Amino acid sequence: MNQTAIIGAGVMGETLLSGLVRAGRRVDTLLVGEKRPARAEELEERYGVTVLDNVEAARRAETVALVVKPQDMADVLAEIAPVLRPGQLVVSLAAGITTGWIEARVPEEVAVVRVMPNTPALVDEGMAAISPGSHCDERHLAEVESLMDSCGKVMRVPEKQMDAVTAISGSGPAYVFFVIESMIEAGVHLGLPRATATELAVQTLVGSAIMLRETGTHPTVLREQVTSPAGTTAAALRQLEIHKVRAAFLAAMEAARDRSRELAAGA
């Protein structure tokens, strides 16, 4: 019976755990590494999983998912590396940490896969990108896909693209929330009650996203369908172009990519 250990029971760690349980994973195949007694008791009661210290969880599992902050990764690896073994799979969900960096800190021939998740995984609409390390085979990648598709979509990418992935999907939800926040504030400024502006903006976002996904139509085409000549939408879009919103998005995502590179270099 293959066991999976989730080390790090914060928001994303619990999101992965709950997604696996909802997807039908048997709880007796899931282990959680958590040091805080109150949190351990909470997770045991909520999901029926076995909660252990990090070392024991890593020792028992075939797959070890590290759902920890980048700055904590070195300490966690130093703690569990002595019990890791060749053939075991280590899955890292830490931004900016490369597979090579992890491989240098674990025993030879431990398979390492890097994952960039995002927060919509909380509602099973996540977008996770995965990249293999140097000792991975198809079986390892398939296992990681099985882990991550429990709470959204999964895509394989070369690791050299991970900084760009981080800038788009990893940090992307914050950009979307920022845009919706701005639309709501504008609605209030235009005289709408805040609750009304919020419902209008949020449903507009949800509907537009579903249109993109379900129709497969290029966003430019969909935008043009909404934009009548000399109409209200054209007037609004002209202001967005004047204020260089498109260029601002590019600059913002370049900054996110560069920060991801800095995190990797700092590690």
Side-chain angles (χ1 to χ4, degrees):
M1 181 174 62
N2 288 346
Q3 292 196 305
T4 298
I6 298 172
I7 294 180
V11 173
M12 188 57 71
E14 185 175 359
T15 296
L16 178 57
L17 173 60
S18 63
L20 289 169
V21 171
R22 287 195 304 276
R25 285 282 180 117
R26 288 169 43 184
V27 293
D28 60 354
T29 68
L30 298 172
L31 305 170
V32 176
E34 174 57 54
K35 296 179 178 178
R36 296 168 294 170
R39 179 62 168 159
E41 183 178 349
E42 179 185 359
L43 293 169
E44 286 176 339
E45 290 181 0
R46 186 174 297 166
Y47 300 103
V49 294
T50 300
V51 182
L52 306 163
D53 64 73
N54 291 347
V55 173
E56 188 59 25
R59 188 196 312 274
R60 292 194 194 182
E62 282 71 41
T63 299
V64 180
L66 302 177
V67 197
V68 300
K69 296 176 181 177
Q71 59 267 35
D72 296 333
M73 183 65 81
D75 289 341
V76 171
L77 284 176
E79 182 183 16
I80 68 171
V83 301
L84 297 178
R85 56 196 179 273
Q88 210 167 7
L89 171 60
V90 170
V91 185
S92 167
L93 280 74
I97 302 294
T98 66
T99 57
W101 188 92
I102 295 173
E103 286 170 348
R105 289 161 175 79
V106 298
E108 274 290 319
E109 298 190 17
V110 168
V112 178
V113 175
R114 178 179 174 185
V115 178
M116 185 67 244
N118 68 5
T119 56
L122 285 162
V123 292
D124 293 341
E125 289 290 351
M127 182 67 250
I130 67 173
S131 299
S134 57
H135 302 298
C136 287
D137 56 28
E138 179 62 29
R139 176 176 56 87
H140 296 124
L141 286 171
E143 173 60 22
V144 178
E145 286 175 332
S146 175
L147 288 177
M148 299 311 303
D149 70 14
S150 67
C151 46
K153 292 191 172 185
V154 187
M155 175 185 295
R156 298 184 187 185
V157 301
E159 189 166 14
K160 65 183 179 181
Q161 295 176 1
M162 268 297 193
D163 294 316
V165 168
T166 301
I168 296 175
S169 60
S171 299
Y175 317 151
V176 176
F177 299 144
F178 186 86
V179 169
I180 291 299
E181 179 186 359
S182 300
M183 290 174 67
I184 292 167
E185 292 302 322
V188 172
H189 178 74
L190 295 173
L192 293 174
R194 183 170 295 277
T196 301
T198 299
E199 185 169 354
L200 290 169
V202 171
Q203 181 56 32
T204 298
L205 167 69
V206 172
S208 301
I210 291 174
M211 277 186 72
L212 277 167
R213 184 167 69 181
E214 299 299 323
T215 67
T217 304
H218 194 281
T220 300
V221 175
L222 294 176
R223 175 175 58 78
E224 289 174 349
Q225 289 173 356
V226 183
T227 310
S228 303
T232 59
T233 307
L237 291 173
R238 179 170 181 267
Q239 290 301 315
L240 294 177
E241 293 292 2
I242 287 171
H243 289 280
K244 296 181 170 57
V245 171
R246 195 186 303 264
F249 268 102
L250 174 58
M253 293 166 78
E254 285 178 335
R257 177 206 59 193
D258 294 346
R259 182 58 183 149
S260 180
R261 288 175 176 171
E262 289 170 5
L263 285 171

